[in-house]
């Protein structure tokens, strides 16, 4: 915590002292956020992608289905925005899960602008 700066002002015409308290706080920047992206491929079943979105991103079935269709039609979709550590963890979890189930699903992250 920073110390307040006391400023005393006194006007020659005004015999009353006035004190002003100013609190100086350092400006801090928020850490950057990262987008987690799912990439389309021709081999991973749509049902598996829906399952991944429900399991790792907390989506309900309808939300997961809509995102899966976006991935399928556009080739990529943002599935969440997180701090660096959480985004990195999500990407690792999805990639490990896909690998264990022998699917080539790709999940990446990129810094949000």
């Amino acid at each position: 915590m920073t110390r307040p700066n006391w400023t005393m002002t006194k006007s020659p015409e005004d015999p009353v002292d006035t004190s002003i308290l100013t609190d100086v706080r350092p400006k801090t920047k928020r850490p950057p956020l990262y987008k987690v992206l799912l990439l389309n491929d021709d081999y991973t079943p749509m049902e598996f992608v829906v399952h991944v979105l429900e399991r790792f991103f907390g989506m309900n079935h309808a939300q997961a289905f809509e995102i899966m269709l976006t991935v399928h039609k556009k080739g990529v979709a943002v599935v969440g925005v997180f701090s660096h550590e959480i985004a990195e963890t999500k990407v690792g979890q999805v990639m490990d899960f896909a690998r264990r189930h022998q699917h080539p699903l790709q999940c990446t992250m990129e810094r949000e602008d």
Side-chain angles (χ1 to χ4, degrees):
M1 188 167 156
T2 60
R3 296 177 126 175
N5 294 326
W6 286 94
T7 305
M8 301 294 285
T9 59
K10 186 173 181 177
S11 168
E13 300 84 33
D14 188 7
V16 178
D17 285 344
T18 58
S19 298
I20 301 170
L21 173 66
T22 57
D23 190 7
V24 181
R25 296 183 185 180
K27 294 193 179 200
T28 56
K29 286 174 61 176
R30 290 187 176 263
L33 295 176
Y34 290 80
K35 299 183 283 190
V36 175
L37 309 160
L38 273 186
L39 307 174
N40 188 46
D41 64 73
D42 294 332
Y43 303 101
T44 304
M46 292 179 177
E47 298 82 22
F48 184 80
V49 175
V50 169
H51 180 69
V52 163
L53 293 168
E54 291 170 345
R55 179 173 177 163
F56 296 105
F57 298 96
M59 296 181 188
N60 65 36
H61 189 75
Q63 292 169 321
F65 191 81
E66 283 297 315
I67 296 291
M68 177 276 299
L69 285 178
T70 301
V71 172
H72 181 69
K73 292 176 183 177
K74 296 189 176 185
V76 65
V78 175
V79 296
V81 179
F82 308 97
S83 68
H84 184 270
E85 293 78 15
I86 293 174
E88 197 170 55
T89 299
K90 297 267 186 201
V91 168
Q93 289 173 330
V94 170
M95 295 296 290
D96 289 344
F97 191 70
R99 204 173 305 120
R100 281 197 316 269
H101 289 85
Q102 300 178 343
H103 294 300
L105 181 65
Q106 292 295 301
C107 185
T108 62
M109 61 188 261
E110 65 182 39
R111 188 173 174 157
E112 187 178 50
D113 295 330

